Amino acid sequence: MTAEHLYRTVRLIRRFEERAMDFVRSGEIVGGIHPYVGQEAIAAGVCAALRPDDVITSTHRGHGHVLAKGVDPARMLAELMGRENGLNRGRGGSMHAADFGLGILGANAIVGAAGSIATGAAWAYQRQGKDVVAVSFFGDGAMNEGMLLEAFNLAVLWRVPVVFVCENNGYATTMPVRSAVAGSITGRARAFGMPAFTVDGQDPEKVLAATTAAVSRARSGRGPTFLECTTYRFDAHHTFEHRARLNYRSTEELSTGRSRDPVEIQGERLAADVRAAVDAEIEALLDAAAGVALGGAHPDPAAALEFLYASPEVNR
Amino acid sequence: MSESVPGLTPEVFAPVEAPVSPPQASEEVEFVQLLTPEGERVEHPDYSFDLDDEAIKGFYRDMTLVRRIDTEATALQRQGELGLWASLLGQEAAQIGSGRALNSKDMVFPTYREHGVAFCQGVNPLNLLGLFRGVDQGAWDPRDNNFHLYTIVIGAQTLHATGYAMGQQRDHAVGDPETGEATIAYFGDGASSQGDVNEAFIYASVFNAPVVFFCQNNQWAISEPIDRQTRIPLYQRAAGFGFPGVRVDGNDVLATYAVTQQALKRAREGSGPTLVEAYTYRMGAHTTSDDPTKYRLSEDLEYWKLKDPIERVKAYLARQAGVDHNFFDEVEAEADKVAAELRQGCLAMPDPELTDFFQYAYVDMPDELAEQRDQYAAYAASFNAEGEG
Ligand SMILES: Cc1ncc(C[n+]2csc(CCOP(=O)(O)OP(=O)(O)O)c2C)c(N)n1
Ligand SMILES: Cc1ncc(C[n+]2csc(CCOP(=O)(O)OP(=O)(O)O)c2C)c(N)n1
Ligand SMILES: [Mg+2]
Ligand SMILES: [Mg+2]
């Protein structure tokens, strides 16, 4: 059951992203996306370890995280297309998906910024006497943001129930991790006294096992854990890269990097007929989602200033 | 790992580097020490002090003068002559040892408490007082003494220092351990929690910049004790950023000199940054606006009094180096003279026109600011009118 659940999630994310990239090409999604292709095992494994009331923060590459946390693909797709029936009424777009009801405290386009939000949220729950755990997703690039390191320090000092999930895909845009991160990624977390582990981020089951341990540590009041999930971004940093050749990864590296595909790794654990049934189910779900999204109304330009501030006066 | 995570199997978590050690109690702190609090010279496998007793006498003089300057400044503040003073009491060895290790081309980026380093660099202490008296905004030219302006924004100077060090690198002034240049950034234990400081570590490490990060862990950030600031000994932070860290007895001037000198040498020859944690204690208040009796125990102070940085050098000089009382008396007299001159100079500093302060924010004053200046001038004048009338 777990195996099938994990497969369903990685497959859903993969196909969602592939379809979203088609919509970028056809112009239905304006501005492009940061595809999560290749990294699906992390979102799937991490979110499978969470309770529905646990919370996450996400990144600019965040569609996978929110889908794994339970967002309806139709509403997410509509959001990417900027429609009124989108998750955030078309105002948030790709990098700002939020649904507090599902425990999604928001994707954040500011690299590293959401770590403080997750830490603050987890701390608040702790002070309210609730046993809610927060997970913060971020990339290797975020490891060099002072803000994130401040969050590490406070989380450790105050034993905050937060799990830091670093998706090390080897690059921050075109900057290789070896030129940007002095020392090591786990060493950086340990420099603040936080237990830190490296996990195979291509295998959903390994990610699930690691996160389960980290979450139970957090929930039982023993403080934060840092998980470095090693992975590879199969596609572009951003879809603009489909048009601009940046030439920062060799063909050889790409083929090695893509050789461990999380969808295949998890798919091989299912019986062929089960896998095929899941695949068909997902295609049907995404067909329906596309229909819903494309059918959504575009927001009224006159309402562009709505939802900026709680007080309507300020918006005028 | 200090704590194991239940349910983890080896194949789930790939093996990783050595675990960090848990925080240490202040009683049994490990650090580089070359002179004990009792004034005994001791050996260390990695560091040695190679100067003669004359140099140690010089350090004694430096520390005594600086303490006297500091005491005088505190008194001046209490008498209403300074707006504020941040005392260095207890941190003399950390500052003089590191300050004396600098070469003439090295650059210093201080906090607001580095009066001892300023002294080593030849900055006139009156300049420091001008800032705290509020008659200027730090009226020394950083280029004159390779001593940057005092920085109040906690940790910001570590970024300035790293940028400056990267500049030295680009000027090809790095590479030779003798003639190469280096930069030293001073900061406190509290500053270690700042994202800025950590970003400075990252840049310095990635670019191999010739910078020494000199952290005076004086155990307090205002009222915040060190155990609420970090879970691991500060010098161990450096390992997470890919460069070496070392902890030194910050009250031992021989050790701070030797350790800083080695760190500077590494920087000058192009081997990159080092973090030095000088383990010391802030004997006074955070500043003259603070009352530490509200948040710390007097017995802590008693414990640290026994580790006084000046007393141990005096004990060494008197007992081991045969220095007689004349020397100590001379230094004492010199200190009194310096203090008297400082007081005189302070009282003689002209008051600025308050409207002058509007001038220093922009090269070309924006209209809004000119308006504020005029409003302020009118407001100030209204008092004079009342007083006179
Ligand atoms: C604070 C900040 N600086 C720079 C950027 C521009 N930017 C967007 S994505 C990115 C790279 C992030 O790399 P990483 O954290 O490794 O995530 P990845 O894109 O690999 O998933 C950068 C620098 C930003 N969004 N925010
Ligand atoms: C960015 C910033 N935050 C807060 C302050 C207020 N502040 C002034 S001194 C201080 C404590 C600094 O402690 P530490 O770094 O240990 O230096 P110390 O004063 O002990 O030498 C704080 C918080 C400030 N000046 N700048
Ligand atoms: Mg990355
Ligand atoms: Mg301090």
Side-chain angles (χ1 to χ4, degrees), chain B residues 188-190 216 218-221:
Chain B
D189 44 296
Q216 287 170 83
N218 64 7
Q219 316 296 325
W220 295 94

Side-chain angles (χ1 to χ4, degrees), chain A residues 15 18 27 56 61 82 124 143 252 268 314 316:
Chain A
R15 291 296 298 135
E18 287 172 348
I56 65 165
R61 198 179 302 290
M143 292 305 292
E252 196 183 30
E268 280 162 14
V314 184
R316 277 205 296 273

Side-chain angles (χ1 to χ4, degrees), chain A residues 143-147 149-150 153-154 156-159 179-184 186-200 205-207 209-214 216-217 222 225 227, chain B residues 1-9 11-20 192-196 198-199 201-203 205-206 224 226-233 236-243:
Chain A
M143 292 305 292
N144 293 331
E145 287 290 344
M147 205 168 9
L149 304 179
E150 290 184 355
N153 195 38
L154 283 182
V156 171
L157 279 165
W158 300 346
R159 292 192 196 282
S179 343
V181 178
S184 70
T186 48
R188 189 69 59 79
R190 276 197 215 104
F192 294 86
M194 182 155 44
F197 305 90
T198 301
V199 185
D200 175 2
E205 295 192 350
K206 286 188 177 159
V207 176
T211 313
T212 303
S216 93
R217 185 168 181 276
R222 282 172 294 151
T225 304
L227 302 177
Chain B
M1 230 48 353
S2 50
E3 263 174 293
S4 68
V5 181
L8 293 186
T9 54
E11 69 273 15
V12 171
F13 287 152
V16 281
E17 309 109 88
V20 295
S192 69
S193 299
Q194 286 281 2
D196 289 15
N198 292 299
E199 291 186 358
F201 288 175
I202 291 166
Y203 263 77
S205 187
V206 166
E224 196 80 350
I226 184 67
D227 60 352
R228 289 202 204 161
Q229 200 74 248
T230 179
R231 282 233 189 253
I232 77 161
Q236 292 182 6
R237 280 279 162 83
F241 295 80
F243 62 95

Side-chain angles (χ1 to χ4, degrees), chain B residues 91 112-113 188-191 216-222 224 282 286:
Chain B
Q91 301 177 215
Y112 39 81
R113 209 187 287 286
D189 44 296
Q216 287 170 83
N217 175 3
N218 64 7
Q219 316 296 325
W220 295 94
I222 313 184
E224 196 80 350
R282 195 195 75 209
H286 169 66

Side-chain angles (χ1 to χ4, degrees), chain A residues 139-141 167 169-172:
Chain A
D140 46 287
E167 304 189 50
N169 61 10
Y171 291 87

Side-chain angles (χ1 to χ4, degrees), chain B residues 39 84 167 181 323 364:
Chain B
L84 184 79
E181 292 182 22
V323 174
D364 300 312

Side-chain angles (χ1 to χ4, degrees), chain B residues 24-92:
Chain B
Q24 291 162 327
S26 66
E27 311 295 319
E28 43 193 64
V29 168
E30 292 237 345
F31 47 35
V32 178
Q33 187 181 67
L34 299 175
L35 185 69
T36 68
E38 293 73 35
E40 301 289 337
R41 297 276 294 260
V42 285
E43 300 287 322
H44 189 278
D46 303 323
Y47 296 92
S48 64
F49 181 79
D50 337 299
L51 303 184
D52 58 13
D53 286 343
E54 276 310 304
I56 300 179
K57 282 164 76 178
F59 289 169
Y60 175 83
R61 173 180 170 272
D62 293 339
M63 292 196 290
T64 307
L65 295 194
V66 159
R67 180 173 287 187
R68 190 68 184 82
I69 290 167
D70 186 79
T71 314
E72 195 63 22
T74 299
L76 283 164
Q77 194 282 334
R78 292 296 184 230
Q79 292 156 1
E81 299 296 344
L82 298 182
L84 184 79
W85 183 251
S87 168
L88 67 25
L89 193 65
Q91 301 177 215
E92 294 87 353

Side-chain angles (χ1 to χ4, degrees), chain A residues 171 178 232 248-258:
Chain A
Y171 291 87
R178 65 178 177 279
Y232 195 72
Y248 59 98
R249 306 194 288 188
S250 66
T251 325
E252 196 183 30
E253 184 199 300
L254 278 165
S255 72
T256 317
R258 288 173 181 156

